[in-house]
Amino acid sequence: MLRSLTQNLPLSRYRIDRDHAARERPALFDELAADPDSRIVALWRGEVLLAVSSTDAADAPALALLPWAAAPADALRVYLGRTLEAEGDVPAGAAITAVVFDDESGPALEPNVTRWASPRTLGHRLGDRDAGLAIEALGMANWHATHQFSPRTGNPTVSVKAGWVRVDAETGAELFPRTDAAIIVGITDADDRLVLGSNALWESNRFSLLAGFVEPGESLEAAVVREVYEEAGLRVIDPHYVGSQPWPFPASLMLGFRARLDPAHANALRPDGTEILDLRWFSRDELAASLGDILLPGRTSIARAIIEDWFGSPLDAP
C-alpha cells in the first residue's frame, strides 16, 4: 500500500511555533522592535532573501534572518511565530516576522552577503525551519497583495492583528487569509503505467501529473474524477489521498492522490486541447529512458514526489 508522502514533501516541513495568541496583542510589533532576538524574513517580488556564506552552500541555502531594524518603517509586516530550537545565531524562542520590501528597499538588501531567490525552485534545499518560514511568509504576502480592497464593498482594507487580518477601513468588516484547494493525481493503468501530461503554459517537452482546483460543493475525491475526465478523457476509480503541501504561487494547497484507470471504460487519451496539449503513458523503463528528452516537475513539487514514489526511487533528472 502506498505510504503517506506528507512528511517527505519539501514544502510541508515546518519547525516553528506559530504563536497565534500573540497576534491579538495590539503592541506586538513594538515589543518585537525592542527585542534583540527578533528577526525578519525579507520578501521582495515573490522571492526570499538568502544568506550567502563564504562556502555559498548551494545544496543547503539558508534564509537571511535579519535584525528588526533592517525593516523599512512603512513595510507590511506579518508575524510568523517563534523558533522551536536554536539554529545558527538565532536562539530558540526568537520571534520571526515577514517583511515585504518594495522596489526601492528590496534591491538594497542584495550586497555581497545576501541574494534573492524563489522558494518555488529551491524550497526542497532549505532546512525544515526555513522551508516552513519561507512558505508561510510568501503565502501571507500574496494574500495581502490581492486583498488591498474589500471584495464586498470595494473599500480599502488595512492590516491588523499582526498581519493575519485585514479590515475594511469604512465598515470594519474583517477579511481572513484564504487558501485554494487543488487536487493533483498520479493515475495508473492495469499494467501500472503512469500517465503524464504537458500543459499549454509549459515547454512542449515538460510533463507532469494532472491537477485542478476543487469546485464549490465538491469533495476532493469527486474533484479527482472530474478533473481527470475533463483534461484527459479518462475515467478513474479508487482515488485515495497520499499527502499535501502548501503551494503559495500564489495561494494553493496541493492535495495529492493516486487513482486507477476504470477498466469498465475504453479510456483513450484525449487531451482537452486548452490546458493539456499532450498525454502519454509511461512504464518505469520508458520514463527512465525518456529523461533526456522530457522534463519532469521540479523537486520542490508534490508532483515530483508522487512520480518518484510510483517509480520506486529518486529520478536522475533536475
Side-chain angles (χ1 to χ4, degrees):
M1 177 176 288
L2 186 75
R3 64 186 181 278
S4 172
L5 297 176
T6 298
Q7 290 184 340
N8 299 317
L9 294 173
L11 302 187
S12 293
R13 296 171 294 139
Y14 207 85
R15 291 295 300 155
I16 193 167
D17 173 9
R18 291 204 174 195
D19 190 22
H20 69 282
R23 302 171 190 170
E24 301 292 331
R25 301 207 296 268
L28 176 63
F29 287 152
D30 292 332
E31 298 171 22
L32 300 186
D35 181 355
D37 289 337
S38 292
R39 300 288 192 277
I40 67 169
V41 174
L43 299 166
W44 177 54
R45 292 190 172 187
E47 297 187 327
V48 293
L49 192 69
L50 299 182
V52 178
S53 68
S54 57
T55 57
D56 190 14
D59 292 330
L63 292 178
L65 297 180
L66 305 178
W68 184 269
D74 58 350
L76 172 69
R77 291 170 169 80
V78 180
Y79 178 57
L80 302 180
R82 293 185 178 273
T83 57
L84 293 174
E85 53 202 21
E87 188 172 331
D89 64 348
V90 180
I96 310 295
T97 301
V99 176
V100 180
F101 286 68
D102 60 22
D103 286 345
E104 180 178 351
S105 58
L109 284 180
E110 195 176 10
N112 296 330
V113 295
T114 59
R115 64 184 177 94
W116 293 101
S118 172
R120 182 170 189 155
T121 55
L122 61 76
H124 63 288
R125 303 208 312 266
L126 292 170
D128 290 355
R129 182 200 67 186
D130 286 0
L133 286 172
I135 296 308
E136 181 186 358
L138 186 58
M140 289 300 296
N142 287 343
W143 174 71
H144 279 282
T146 57
H147 287 77
Q148 300 293 310
F149 299 89
S150 169
R152 301 170 186 168
T153 65
N155 295 330
T157 62
V158 294
S159 175
V160 299
K161 295 189 178 180
W164 285 90
V165 178
R166 293 191 72 88
V167 171
D168 185 314
E170 294 189 26
T171 69
E174 294 182 325
L175 303 177
F176 299 90
R178 293 290 183 266
T179 297
D180 299 323
I183 57 88
I184 185 163
V185 54
I187 304 157
T188 51
D189 66 4
D191 297 319
D192 203 25
R193 296 182 302 168
L194 185 73
V195 68
L196 299 178
S198 182
N199 192 288
L201 299 177
W202 304 336
E203 309 97 317
S204 60
N205 64 333
R206 183 175 294 280
F207 284 79
S208 185
L209 304 180
L210 299 179
F213 289 105
V214 180
E215 293 185 346
E218 188 174 49
S219 70
L220 300 177
E221 292 79 5
V224 168
V225 174
R226 175 187 55 78
E227 280 287 348
V228 171
Y229 183 71
E230 289 178 358
E231 294 187 350
L234 301 176
R235 295 293 188 182
V236 297
I237 57 175
D238 191 27
H240 56 278
Y241 172 81
V242 296
S244 69
Q245 77 168 12
W247 192 251
F249 311 108
S252 298
L253 175 66
M254 303 303 298
L255 298 140
F257 281 80
R258 290 283 299 271
R260 296 185 295 114
L261 203 62
D262 187 347
H265 292 81
N267 284 314
L269 292 174
R270 189 200 66 205
D272 66 8
T274 301
E275 291 186 53
I276 304 299
L277 301 184
D278 191 10
L279 289 163
R280 302 182 195 176
W281 287 105
F282 291 90
S283 68
R284 291 171 179 79
D285 288 342
E286 288 169 341
L287 183 60
S290 300
L291 292 182
D293 300 318
I294 69 169
L295 300 173
L296 293 179
R299 295 189 183 280
T300 303
S301 69
I302 188 173
R304 181 61 168 262
I306 294 174
I307 292 170
E308 291 186 341
D309 187 80
W310 162 83
F311 189 78
S313 65
L315 288 160
D316 186 17

